[in-house]
Amino acid sequence: MKRDVSAHLDVLVHADSVLEFQIAVARQPGMDLSESLVFELDGRRCQAREVLGPHGTRIHVLRCGAGNLHAYYSATVLGTALAEPPSEYDLAIYTRPSRFAESDKLLNFAAAEFGCGIDDPETPARVAAWVARRVRYLPGGSTPSDGAVETLLSGTGVCRDFSHLTVALLRAVGVPARVASAYPPGGVPMDFHSVPEAYVGGSWRVLDPTRIAPRSTLVRIATGRDASDIAFLGNHGGDITVNGLWVNAFVDGPLPYDDFEQPLTLA
C-alpha cells in the first residue's frame, strides 16, 4: 500500500526556545520511506537535530530565536513494517500507570467491568469496544491536561482521550498497553491521530475505539506511554503560539474496509 502524508505547522515563537517536533514517520524495517522535512524561521532555513526514540520514533530538536516558524513535512511510504519483538522492559513499562493513563485509579472499576484479562486474548477488543460505546467523540470536549479518569467521568473527548482510557483499563487488568501517534488516511477529522496498542498473543495489536480511519492505512509516527511521550510539538523555554496546523494523509486507491474487531498490527 502506497501512502502519502504531510504536515505543515505555523508557530509563532515569542522568545528563544528549544522546540521538539514528532511529525516524521517512524523508521521501521520493512518500509520504504521517502521524505522531506524543512524548517524556516522568518523565511530562513534552519537545521534541526534528530534524536532517536523507542520503536522508530524520531524527535527533531530545534533551537531557535523569536520569530515565525514554519515546519513542512512530507513523505511517501511503501510496504508494511516488520513486527517488532517486545522487550521485557517494554512489557514492564507499558503495564505501569502513567501521567495520562492512571490505571492505578481504575483497578477496582476495571476488574468489576472486565475481570482479569492478562490470560484472555479477547480482553483488548472487549475493552476497546466498551470505550467506543461509552465515549462520544467531541472536539473541545476535553482539555490537554485530562487523563483517563476525566474521560471516564465526562464521557467525551478526542482520539487521545479514547486512547488513554483504553490503555488505562487494559493496564488495570494486567494487559501491557501503549499509545501511538499516526497519520490517518481517510480520517475524519483529518489530524494527527492517536491509537492504543495492546500486547496480545506475543505481539502488539492496534486498536481504535474512535473508528476514525482504517487501521491498515495508519502510518506510525511516535510510540510511548501516553500523550506526554508522543506529542507532535514540545516547547522548552519561551512561549509559543500555534497559528495553524495542517495534516494530510492519502492511500493510493480506495480505502480498505476495517471492522475494527480483527487483530491487526500497526504499520
Side-chain angles (χ1 to χ4, degrees):
M1 184 185 299
K2 177 175 178 285
R3 286 153 287 182
D4 293 295
V5 302
S6 63
H8 173 202
L9 279 73
D10 178 356
V11 182
L12 183 61
V13 183
H14 299 285
D16 291 0
S17 186
V18 176
L19 304 181
E20 295 178 349
F21 292 83
Q22 292 187 106
I23 60 176
V25 173
R27 288 197 181 277
Q28 299 172 281
M31 293 176 59
D32 183 8
L33 176 62
S34 175
E35 63 181 350
S36 171
L37 177 59
V38 174
F39 295 98
E40 292 182 351
L41 182 65
D42 291 334
R44 301 186 302 275
R45 289 279 186 102
C46 42
Q47 191 66 38
R49 176 171 55 91
E50 183 173 284
V51 176
L52 299 181
H55 319 297
T57 299
R58 300 152 65 200
I59 305 170
H60 288 91
V61 181
L62 182 67
R63 185 180 298 274
C64 67
N68 193 200
L69 177 70
H70 287 265
Y72 303 95
Y73 179 74
S74 63
T76 297
V77 183
L78 292 170
T80 302
L82 300 177
E84 176 194 36
S87 67
E88 291 187 17
Y89 178 77
D90 291 339
L91 299 182
I93 198 72
Y94 294 132
T95 311
R96 301 174 187 170
S98 60
R99 165 65 179 85
F100 294 107
E102 321 98 297
S103 53
D104 53 332
K105 297 181 180 180
L106 297 173
L107 293 173
N108 292 337
F109 178 86
E113 193 72 34
F114 306 107
C116 185
I118 194 166
D119 294 322
D120 182 0
E122 301 300 323
T123 295
R126 288 197 296 116
V127 171
W130 186 91
V131 172
R133 295 191 303 269
R134 179 68 178 260
V135 182
R136 179 166 62 97
Y137 192 96
L138 180 65
S142 62
T143 70
S145 63
D146 284 353
V149 173
E150 285 87 356
T151 301
L152 178 63
L153 294 174
S154 70
T156 60
V158 293
C159 59
R160 56 168 270 159
D161 304 302
F162 282 72
S163 292
H164 289 154
L165 182 54
T166 303
V167 164
L169 291 171
L170 287 172
R171 292 176 185 170
V173 296
V175 178
R178 65 190 190 185
V179 297
S181 59
Y183 285 99
V188 180
M190 177 56 69
D191 202 342
F192 292 118
H193 192 34
S194 172
V195 291
E197 292 181 287
Y199 184 68
V200 184
S203 62
W204 293 103
R205 301 296 186 183
V206 60
L207 310 163
D208 191 357
T210 69
R211 305 188 173 188
I212 280 177
R215 293 170 297 163
S216 63
T217 68
L218 300 177
V219 180
R220 185 187 302 274
I221 301 173
T223 311
R225 298 163 299 173
D226 55 35
S228 60
D229 289 341
I230 65 171
F232 67 84
L233 176 59
N235 173 41
H236 306 284
D239 291 337
I240 64 172
T241 301
V242 178
N243 292 328
L245 167 64
W246 300 268
V247 176
N248 285 296
F250 305 94
V251 294
D252 191 14
L255 286 171
Y257 172 74
D258 190 351
D259 63 6
F260 294 97
E261 295 180 1
Q262 298 301 314
L264 193 67
T265 300
L266 177 59

